[in-house]
Amino acid sequence: MDLPTVAIPSGLPVPGGDAHAHGLRVQAILRERIQAAGGWLPFEDWMQAALYAPGLGYYSAGSGKFGGPGDFITAPEAGHLFGQALARQVAQVLQASGSTEVLEFGAGSGALAETLIPALHDLGQSVNYRIIELSADLRARQAGRLAHWGDAVQWLDALPEDFSGCVIANEVLDAMPAALLRWNAEGAVEVLGVALDGQPDAPCPFRWAVRPAPAELAGSLAERMPPLPGYRTELNRQAEAWVRHMGRWLARGAALLIDYGFPQAEFYHPQRAQGTLMCHFRHHAHDQALILAGLQDITTHVDFTAMADAALAGGLDVLGYASQARFLMNAGLAGLIQAPGEDPAARARLLAEVNTLTSEAEMGELFKVLAVGRGLDEPLLGFVRGDRRDRL
């Protein structure tokens, strides 16, 4: 059974100067790790190193990632409406939990916090904003952007032991390293990994290689889908463990998990035979994960059924599951563009932003919001209509 080919996608920008030199340093680290592992490294470990190797990985180094000059645009980067609508749901969680604590994981450029904090104040809600950020570079950028809030914004170096309030994770789960699996012709599960490519004309110094999957991985995949020879997919054990572990420290409140993905029946659909692995480099999306190591984002879509199951296993409740479009409309997005005094140009910009956030062709349907938590009695605002928990 053939392995995926490694090739440079047509039209992909060519990194030069410092970026090229940085890519060579990342390649060297990855070569060392493959050699230390005996010549074969599981893709899950490859993705971990390519994204998070200290000082070198995509999220650990200092390259721009967000917005026009970067590689992709997140919902908070599109404007202020996402954060303003989200604030209404966050305020409800804080009031219901009797807390002023917000904890954001992976705060990116700080754009969400910059909008969310004043929006909460406008709603009469006091807030103590906490951030956990693995990237020293991004943490420094966030600190500069949010400096005017003083001690109201603080960065944590570790998970809290006991937390009440609202947790926010926007496009965090998709960036957690995932195992890459496939069913072979005999109906057994194989795990894809990375080996060194010694061919002088190879587009990059790495190639795909497979080994039989460990029993735990094979069993997990078999529980989620029937054998389909040639079918390639992902299983994100790290993201599931992260959600499950939340049950140990989230004492009261809710976590809002916002990301692109599907319920399990759609995630492992027979027509999704090549999986969901995607890369982003300077606003070019492609599936070549072994090139541009350290220079491009590598992601997989989220299996939201698995995340909901992990929450339940951790002792949390599943409080809601909806498309991003439905969640934002429930939270009052439409009312945010009806303020009097807006000039036509400003209104046009707002309508364009609404389209980005809610259109099925943009973020509206592919992105979902999953709420998990404990100790909340009232239904959450963002899920009063269009709650899809029955599809998980």
Side-chain angles (χ1 to χ4, degrees):
M1 187 176 294
D2 293 337
L3 288 166
T5 58
V6 178
I8 306 298
S10 175
L12 200 66
V14 178
D18 292 343
H20 177 70
H22 180 83
L24 293 177
R25 290 193 293 271
V26 176
Q27 285 186 6
I29 290 293
L30 289 167
R31 290 175 66 91
E32 291 175 5
R33 297 199 179 191
I34 291 171
Q35 291 166 345
W40 183 88
L41 192 67
F43 178 74
E44 189 173 16
D45 296 341
W46 160 277
M47 186 172 171
Q48 174 73 40
L51 295 181
Y52 299 107
L56 288 173
Y58 179 76
Y59 282 107
S60 303
S63 63
K65 301 163 182 64
F66 308 99
D71 299 312
F72 52 87
I73 293 177
T74 64
E77 300 287 340
H80 299 299
L81 293 179
F82 178 81
Q84 290 172 346
L86 182 63
R88 300 185 179 192
Q89 178 62 89
V90 173
Q92 184 197 17
V93 171
L94 294 180
Q95 292 162 13
S97 60
S99 173
T100 61
E101 299 289 315
V102 173
L103 175 58
E104 184 181 2
F105 283 86
S109 68
L112 179 55
E114 187 177 50
T115 298
L116 191 57
I117 295 171
L120 286 167
H121 287 168
D122 289 344
L123 294 170
Q125 174 64 57
S126 299
V127 59
N128 295 306
Y129 208 93
R130 308 291 180 246
I131 296 173
I132 290 183
E133 179 58 66
L134 298 179
S135 167
D137 173 70
L138 288 176
R139 182 167 172 166
R141 296 185 189 191
Q142 294 157 13
R145 188 167 190 169
L146 303 172
H148 58 285
W149 291 108
D151 292 340
V153 180
Q154 295 183 3
W155 283 260
L156 305 182
D157 295 320
L159 288 169
E161 294 184 2
D162 185 73
F163 180 85
S164 292
C166 189
V167 178
I168 301 171
N170 182 59
E171 294 198 50
V172 171
L173 297 173
D174 68 88
M176 293 186 179
L180 192 57
L181 308 171
R182 75 173 185 181
W183 294 95
N184 66 18
E186 289 73 43
V189 180
E190 297 175 327
V191 58
L192 276 75
V194 187
L196 297 177
D197 193 335
Q199 299 298 321
D201 58 348
C204 82
F206 309 108
R207 62 179 177 86
W208 294 102
V210 296
R211 290 187 178 179
E216 181 266 331
L217 266 178
S220 293
L221 184 62
E223 290 174 358
R224 303 176 190 205
M225 66 170 293
L228 292 174
Y231 192 99
R232 188 170 74 241
T233 189
E234 307 89 30
L235 197 151
N236 199 323
R237 296 179 294 178
Q238 191 170 130
E240 292 175 34
W242 183 79
V243 173
R244 186 167 55 249
H245 185 262
M246 195 181 295
R248 300 183 182 180
W249 54 266
L250 180 55
R252 181 178 175 85
L256 304 174
L257 311 178
I258 309 163
D259 228 310
Y260 42 88
F262 313 98
Q264 205 157 90
E266 295 178 32
F267 191 95
Y268 297 108
H269 193 279
Q271 293 181 352
R272 207 177 305 282
Q274 302 305 309
T276 72
L277 182 66
M278 289 293 295
C279 305
H280 300 90
F281 180 67
R282 298 181 187 173
H283 300 279
H284 289 255
H286 63 89
D287 63 357
Q288 293 292 324
L290 302 190
I291 68 171
L292 298 173
L295 300 179
Q296 67 176 0
D297 189 24
I298 308 172
T299 77
T300 61
H301 287 47
V302 175
D303 173 357
F304 279 104
T305 302
M307 300 308 141
D309 287 344
L312 294 172
L316 299 174
D317 300 319
V318 178
L319 304 173
Y321 172 64
S323 70
Q324 177 175 289
R326 174 48 58 190
F327 173 85
L328 293 175
M329 295 303 288
N330 287 341
L333 178 65
L336 295 173
I337 63 172
Q338 295 174 357
E342 295 286 0
D343 63 49
R347 179 172 288 276
R349 288 192 296 271
L350 288 176
L351 291 175
E353 185 180 344
V354 170
N355 182 68
T356 297
L357 297 174
T358 63
S359 169
E360 290 189 5
E362 298 280 351
M363 296 180 173
E365 177 57 34
L366 179 59
F367 280 71
K368 312 295 194 307
V369 184
L370 175 69
V372 302
R374 63 159 55 100
L376 301 185
D377 298 325
E378 59 184 286
L380 294 185
L381 174 68
F383 307 95
V384 293
R385 290 178 295 276
D387 192 336
R388 301 180 183 177
R389 276 177 288 181
D390 60 322
R391 301 188 192 181
L392 290 172

